[in-house]
Amino acid sequence: MIQITVPASSANLGAGFDALGIALTLYNRVWIEEADGTVEKPLCIIESVDGTPIPTDETNMIYQSAKLLYERCGHPFKGLHIKQENNIPMTRGLGSSSACLIAGLVGANTLLGSPLSMSDISDLAASLEGHPDNTAPALYGGLVASVMDGGRVHSVSVPVSDRIRFAVFIPDFELKTEVARGILPKQVLREDAVYNLSRAALMTASLFSGRLENLRVAVQDRLHQPYRFQLIADADKVFYTAYELGAYAVAISGAGPSILAIIDIDNKDFIEKAKKELQNSELEGWQVTLLSCDMNGVSVSFQ
Ligand code: HSE
C-alpha cells in the first residue's frame, strides 16, 4: 500500500476570503491500493483505522476523487482498498474535505505512475472543492495565496515567520460550508472590497516578513465573518479570550466554526491559560490546540 499524509489547513485568515490559506501541523493519513474488481463492478473496501465514522461506500470522498483521477487519465478503474486515519476534525473549518480530496487525487496519481503534475492536481482539487484556499495549502504546505482563473489555479506558497504559532479553538458542533457560504451577500460595497483586499495583501506580506505588529489590522474582514458570527455560538467570547491572552490576530478558520488565533512562539502560557478560561467561561464544548505552519504539504511513502 502507499501512504499519503495530508495536512489540515485554515482558509481566509480574516480578509483573504477564498484566496489565502495556511497548512497546519495536524495530519490525516491514508493508505491506498488498487482492489481486484472489474471495470463493470469495481471493488470499494474502506476502513477507518481510528474508529472515526466515515462513509465506507462509493460516496467516500477519497474513493470518489481517486476514481475521478483514473477516469481523467483514461485508466480502467477496478476499485480501491482504502484505510483512513482521521486526525483533522470534520466539518470544523480545518480543511478536512480538502485533505480527503488531495489524498484521493495524489494517491490515485501515484498508483498510476504520476501522469498528472502537482499543478494539474491543484486544478482538479480546487474545481471539486469550489475554491482553492484549502486545497492548495494541503497540497503545497506553507502560506498559500491562490487565484482560480478559468479552471486553473495560480498559487504561491511561502514560509511564514518562525515566531508564529497557531492556537486553534475547535468547538464540539459542526458547521457545513454550504450553510456558512449560503448566508453571505452576493454583492459588496466597493469600500468593503478595498477594505478586504488591502488587508489580505497586508496579511500575506506581514506573515512572510515577520511584521507581526500588522496582523491585528490585517486580519480584519467585512466580507464573511460579520455574517458568520451568528452561526458560531460563543465565537465572540473565544475572540475576546484569545486577544486578552495576547494573540496577534484572531479569525474564523475557513467557514468556521473553529477559530484560529495567531500567537507568538514566546507566548508559552497561552494554551494553558486558554484552557482554564474556556472552563471558567463555561465554554466546555471548545478545545484548544497548539499547531505550527506545515511547510511540506502532502507527502507519499511506499510501504
Ligand atoms: N473560503 C472558504 C469559505 C473556505 O470561507 O467559505 C471554506 O471552505
Side-chain angles (χ1 to χ4, degrees):
M1 282 191 134
I2 55 171
Q3 180 188 308
I4 304 113
T5 305
V6 195
S9 52
S10 181
N12 301 329
L13 301 174
F17 179 69
D18 280 1
L20 294 182
I22 193 156
L24 299 170
T25 50
L26 174 68
Y27 302 92
N28 277 0
R29 289 198 296 167
V30 173
W31 295 263
I32 188 166
E33 68 185 356
E34 288 186 331
D36 214 3
T38 61
V39 176
E40 295 72 35
K41 204 169 174 5
L43 280 175
C44 173
I45 309 160
I46 300 173
E47 300 166 64
S48 167
V49 300
D50 58 359
T52 306
I54 51 162
T56 53
D57 59 12
E58 287 86 357
T59 63
N60 181 285
M61 211 179 248
I62 299 174
Y63 183 89
Q64 283 189 343
S65 57
K67 183 166 183 259
L68 177 90
L69 189 134
Y70 270 67
E71 287 162 0
R72 285 288 164 96
C73 293
H75 201 280
F77 180 75
K78 296 181 183 170
L80 292 170
H81 178 197
I82 295 170
K83 293 202 266 184
Q84 279 179 240
E85 180 188 288
N86 276 73
N87 299 307
I88 308 171
M90 290 191 261
T91 333
R92 296 297 200 288
L94 291 167
S96 65
S97 65
S98 288
C100 288
L101 290 175
I102 294 292
L105 293 172
V106 170
N109 196 46
T110 307
L111 290 173
L112 293 182
S114 302
L116 299 190
S117 66
M118 289 284 270
S119 167
D120 294 330
I121 290 176
S122 181
D123 297 344
L124 258 178
S127 66
L128 291 170
E129 187 77 341
H131 37 85
D133 47 338
N134 287 108
T135 51
L139 194 60
Y140 298 118
L143 167 67
V144 186
S146 313
V147 170
M148 211 171 160
D149 181 60
R152 293 214 78 99
V153 176
H154 301 261
S155 63
V156 177
S157 161
V158 293
V160 294
S161 160
D162 55 15
R163 296 204 61 75
I164 288 174
R165 295 291 178 272
F166 300 93
V168 185
F169 294 82
I170 307 170
D172 59 3
F173 55 89
E174 301 184 346
L175 175 54
K176 287 196 187 315
T177 300
E178 308 92 86
V179 174
R181 291 179 82 81
I183 59 156
L184 303 181
K186 293 264 181 285
Q187 293 186 324
V188 299
L189 291 172
R190 180 170 63 183
E191 66 192 62
D192 291 345
V194 172
Y195 183 97
N196 266 61
L197 66 88
S198 55
R199 282 165 175 76
L202 185 67
M203 174 60 77
T204 313
S206 302
L207 284 177
F208 180 59
S209 65
R211 294 284 299 274
L212 306 180
E213 74 278 12
N214 289 332
L215 297 185
R216 188 141 183 178
V217 167
V219 79
Q220 294 166 337
D221 153 67
R222 287 186 182 166
L223 297 188
H224 68 108
Q225 293 185 152
Y227 307 96
R228 288 172 165 175
F229 262 100
Q230 61 187 291
L231 301 175
I232 307 173
D234 295 321
D236 52 342
K237 290 185 194 156
V238 174
F239 266 59
Y240 179 80
T241 298
Y243 275 126
E244 280 292 293
L245 295 176
Y248 286 121
V250 187
I252 295 174
S253 181
S258 296
I259 290 170
L260 183 82
I262 305 178
I263 66 173
D264 194 276
I265 189 172
D266 286 340
N267 194 344
K268 297 208 182 295
D269 298 337
F270 186 99
I271 295 291
E272 200 185 320
K273 286 185 178 163
K275 281 182 180 165
K276 281 198 186 126
E277 198 47 45
L278 290 175
Q279 274 174 1
N280 294 342
S281 319
E282 296 177 354
L283 299 170
E284 290 98 353
W286 290 78
Q287 292 178 357
V288 58
T289 307
L290 185 67
L291 300 174
S292 302
C293 175
D294 164 275
M295 273 314 302
N296 301 316
V298 67
S299 63
V300 179
S301 58
F302 297 85
Q303 310 218 313

